[in-house]
């Protein structure tokens, strides 16, 4: 029997140990290369001019030949104005990349020796980069869709006579949300399952939102597979929609399943129960997208995942939400797709 990909040496191209053995100059070169490529094509984050800007070796900063702006390798990225060493950020990305079911801020803070608050913001900056740089091109071919609820749990009262019917609409928690997923099936014989995943946060699994999202993110002529929920009923008019009724079977006699969506939620729930425990609604979209990224990169080596995450961090502008988060600068609006 052939060896599982994740057990092979090909899947293991990075170790946190290797990152920690880097010098500061190595870390600088890695970050520079992932941001601007292998050549000397440094681009000014202020005016965008690419070229040979004057480099001050002692301060590791450039002065733009065009606008005179002074910038560093992290200026204009999610790690701008950084206080930790570059190596610490790379180590954080390595830990983040290796954690296939996500990593909690507390665990990251222990591994890096930083405060919890620092690790929380750092992990969220990485998630923000994954979200900002996600590929939102419409899906095609066979697409599986499903929704799952979070933050809706109602704890039953101690005494039976005090308990309410938790199924009724008026008893639902106002912060209950639906994570909605769409996954495109691979057509490559070597790669079973999904290759591209898009996630959205909704207030509920309903026909209007599902219809709008399918219209915006699924190409015409695609096949949609969904379960028996009436949220998908209206899709039959526009797409070749196939259904499986989960209350009676997981695979219909015609061979229809919704398994790619289910396997996404399998990882998502493990991330929730095992690592995060709670998803704040303000950041739920980022957590959902993180699970999507991890699913889509499941067959890549950890070195490749590390490079991809670092590249996305280097391409993402500093987010206002994550500057001064613990000084009171917080996100005020959820990222709802409704
Ligand atoms: Zn410039």
């Amino acid at each position: 029997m052939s060896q599982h990909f994740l057990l092979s040496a090909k899947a293991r191209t990075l170790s946190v140990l290797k990152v920690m053995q880097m010098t500061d100059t190595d870390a600088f070169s890695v970050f520079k290369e992932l941001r601007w490529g292998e050549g000397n094509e440094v681009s000014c984050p202020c005016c965008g001019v690419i070229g040979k800007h004057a480099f001050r070796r002692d301060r590791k900063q450039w002065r733009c030949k065009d606008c005179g702006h002074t910038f560093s390798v992290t200026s204009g990225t999610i790690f701008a104005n950084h206080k930790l060493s570059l190596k610490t950020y790379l180590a954080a990305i390595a830990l983040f990349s290796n954690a296939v079911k996500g990593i909690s801020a507390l665990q990251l803070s222990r591994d890096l020796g930083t405060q919890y608050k620092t690790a929380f913001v750092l992990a969220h900056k990485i998630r923000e980069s994954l979200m900002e740089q996600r590929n939102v091109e419409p899906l095609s071919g066979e697409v599986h869709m499903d929704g799952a609820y979070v933050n809706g749990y109602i704890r039953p009262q101690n005494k039976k006579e005090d308990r309410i019917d938790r199924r009724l609409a008026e008893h639902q928690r106002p912060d209950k949300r639906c994570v909605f997923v769409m996954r495109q099936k691979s057509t490559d014989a070597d790669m079973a399952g999904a290759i591209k995943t898009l996630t959205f946060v909704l207030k509920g699994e309903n026909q209007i939102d599902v219809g709008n999202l399918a219209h915006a993110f699924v190409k015409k002529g695609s096949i949609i597979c969904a379960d028996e929920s009436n949220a998908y009923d209206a899709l039959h008019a526009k797409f070749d929609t196939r259904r499986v009724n989960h209350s009676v079977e997981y695979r219909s006699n015609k061979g229809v399943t919704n398994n790619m969506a289910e396997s996404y939620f399998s990882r998502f729930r493990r991330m929730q129960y095992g690592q995060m425990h709670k998803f704040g609604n303000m950041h739920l979209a980022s957590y959902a997208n993180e699970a999507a990224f991890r699913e889509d990169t499941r067959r890549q080596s950890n070195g490749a995942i590390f490079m991809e995450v670092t590249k996305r961090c280097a391409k993402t502008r500093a987010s206002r939400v994550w500057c001064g988060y613990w000084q009171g600068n917080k996100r005020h609006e959820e990222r709802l797709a409704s």
Side-chain angles (χ1 to χ4, degrees), residues 9 33 35 39-40 51 120 124 131 156 174 192 218 233 244 290 317 328:
E33 195 181 313
R35 182 172 185 191
N40 269 321
F120 178 86
H124 267 297
M131 185 77 178
V218 181
D233 288 353
V244 53
E290 178 191 342
R317 289 240 154 205

Side-chain angles (χ1 to χ4, degrees), residues 149 268-279:
Y149 284 93
F268 180 76
R269 290 296 188 203
R270 281 164 171 78
M271 194 167 118
Q272 178 182 15
Y273 297 141
Q275 289 289 326
M276 311 309 178
H277 301 186
K278 268 182 187 165
F279 293 131

Side-chain angles (χ1 to χ4, degrees), residues 44 47 64 67:
C44 167
C47 67
C64 176
C67 70

Side-chain angles (χ1 to χ4, degrees), residues 43-49 53 63-69 71:
S43 120
C44 167
C46 187
C47 67
V49 162
H53 303 291
R63 168 151 296 184
C64 176
K65 61 176 183 176
D66 221 53
C67 70
H69 179 69
F71 59 94

